[in-house]
Amino acid sequence: MKPLIAVLAAQGRSGQACVAALLEAGFRVRAGVRSESTLQEHPDLEVVRCDARNKDEVATLLDGADVAVSMIGHNRRSSADVQSVAIQHCVDIVSERQPETRIISLTGTGVRLPGDRIPLFDRAANFAIGVVDPKRIADGKEHVRILQESTVDYTILRVLKLTGGRHQGTVTLTPHGPAELFTPRARVGAAVVQLIETGAFQRALPVISGTSA
């Protein structure tokens, strides 16, 4: 049977791109959405209502999943701690009920590691975010701490600036960057597929650094 991938925040722009990439790669997908779904119907797609802050709904989404993918981001309507609250639910559920489930999460390059290669445009962009919306970066760092202090198998994808547009080529993932300036959401979806298929970067925080032909 095809692996089952559960996607949190599947209705968002990054979530939709991820769902499309997973289905194209031949996975079964259970998509968690907060409101009426606009996802295109597909025989391998199941859509369930899921508020990522509701642990019971997250448990339903993750039930039996081989991989849980969080595409949660921040917007004007989201709570400041949505990313860390949701990932804590995922960690608790996986630890208690299904320890073989892998968690893949998306966050920004404002989350730093020793040895990171940080170009000037990355420093400038994250400085601006830190001034305008410091809680967003703090939430990303807290969700990383939760994963790192857990015993679950996780990978945290780091990107700088998400955009629309198409993805071509093979995603280049590096342990410490540098990040590319603009990353199409379709490339994030391709990166998730690549991580699942290869099993690479376990308990690591790779940076999307671009593509290779």
Side-chain angles (χ1 to χ4, degrees), residues 2-7 10 15 18-24 26-32 39 42-48 61:
K2 303 174 184 177
L4 173 61
I5 317 300
V7 181
C18 183
V19 168
L22 289 165
L23 291 172
E24 185 176 353
F27 294 106
R28 292 181 296 140
V29 178
R30 183 182 295 140
L39 296 170
H42 189 283
D44 287 327
L45 175 64
E46 174 190 4
V47 178
V48 300
L61 178 69

Side-chain angles (χ1 to χ4, degrees), residues 2-17:
K2 303 174 184 177
L4 173 61
I5 317 300
V7 181
L8 287 89
Q11 190 84 305
R13 288 178 291 176
S14 296
Q16 291 185 50

Side-chain angles (χ1 to χ4, degrees), residues 5 48 53 57 76 91 93 100 108 137 139 154 160 164 179-180 186 209:
I5 317 300
V48 300
R53 297 181 61 86
E57 293 184 0
R76 290 190 297 270
V91 166
I93 291 161
E100 299 303 315
I137 293 180
D139 192 34
Y154 70 82
L160 180 51
E180 62 180 347
S209 297

Side-chain angles (χ1 to χ4, degrees), residues 20-104:
L22 289 165
L23 291 172
E24 185 176 353
F27 294 106
R28 292 181 296 140
V29 178
R30 183 182 295 140
V33 302
R34 288 191 62 184
S35 56
E36 186 174 351
S37 173
T38 58
L39 296 170
Q40 187 173 355
E41 292 185 4
H42 189 283
D44 287 327
L45 175 64
E46 174 190 4
V47 178
V48 300
R49 291 291 182 95
C50 180
D51 180 342
R53 297 181 61 86
N54 185 314
K55 186 174 181 179
D56 290 338
E57 293 184 0
V58 174
T60 298
L61 178 69
L62 268 56
D63 185 35
D66 297 283
V67 180
V69 179
S70 173
M71 289 287 108
I72 293 173
H74 294 85
N75 57 47
R76 290 190 297 270
R77 295 173 295 175
S78 62
S79 59
D81 60 351
V82 61
Q83 194 174 15
S84 53
V85 168
I87 217 66
Q88 184 68 69
H89 290 333
C90 291
V91 166
D92 290 345
I93 291 161
V94 169
S95 299
E96 295 165 4
R97 309 179 191 183
Q98 46 196 75
E100 299 303 315
T101 299
R102 181 183 185 185
I103 296 174
I104 297 176

Side-chain angles (χ1 to χ4, degrees), residues 50-205:
C50 180
D51 180 342
R53 297 181 61 86
N54 185 314
K55 186 174 181 179
D56 290 338
E57 293 184 0
V58 174
T60 298
L61 178 69
L62 268 56
D63 185 35
D66 297 283
V67 180
V69 179
S70 173
M71 289 287 108
I72 293 173
H74 294 85
N75 57 47
R76 290 190 297 270
R77 295 173 295 175
S78 62
S79 59
D81 60 351
V82 61
Q83 194 174 15
S84 53
V85 168
I87 217 66
Q88 184 68 69
H89 290 333
C90 291
V91 166
D92 290 345
I93 291 161
V94 169
S95 299
E96 295 165 4
R97 309 179 191 183
Q98 46 196 75
E100 299 303 315
T101 299
R102 181 183 185 185
I103 296 174
I104 297 176
S105 182
L106 178 68
T107 199
T109 55
V111 174
R112 306 294 193 193
L113 292 180
D116 279 350
R117 298 168 59 196
I118 310 169
L120 182 59
F121 60 76
D122 191 332
R123 293 184 188 277
N126 276 289
F127 175 80
I129 295 170
V131 171
V132 175
D133 192 5
K135 292 181 179 179
R136 170 178 164 185
I137 293 180
D139 192 34
K141 291 179 178 179
E142 175 63 10
H143 114 284
V144 170
R145 182 196 66 78
I146 291 168
L147 286 166
Q148 289 178 326
E149 293 184 0
S150 75
T151 59
V152 305
D153 178 9
Y154 70 82
T155 303
I156 301 168
L157 273 173
R158 294 186 287 164
V159 300
L160 180 51
K161 175 64 176 176
L162 292 170
T163 66
R166 301 178 63 185
H167 160 74
Q168 293 180 324
T170 301
V171 183
T172 299
L173 299 175
T174 57
H176 296 289
E180 62 180 347
L181 177 55
F182 298 113
T183 297
R185 292 178 178 85
R187 187 167 298 150
V188 173
V192 170
V193 170
Q194 187 170 304
L195 287 169
I196 295 171
E197 291 181 338
T198 64
F201 290 102
Q202 294 184 4
R203 294 187 65 86
L205 291 81

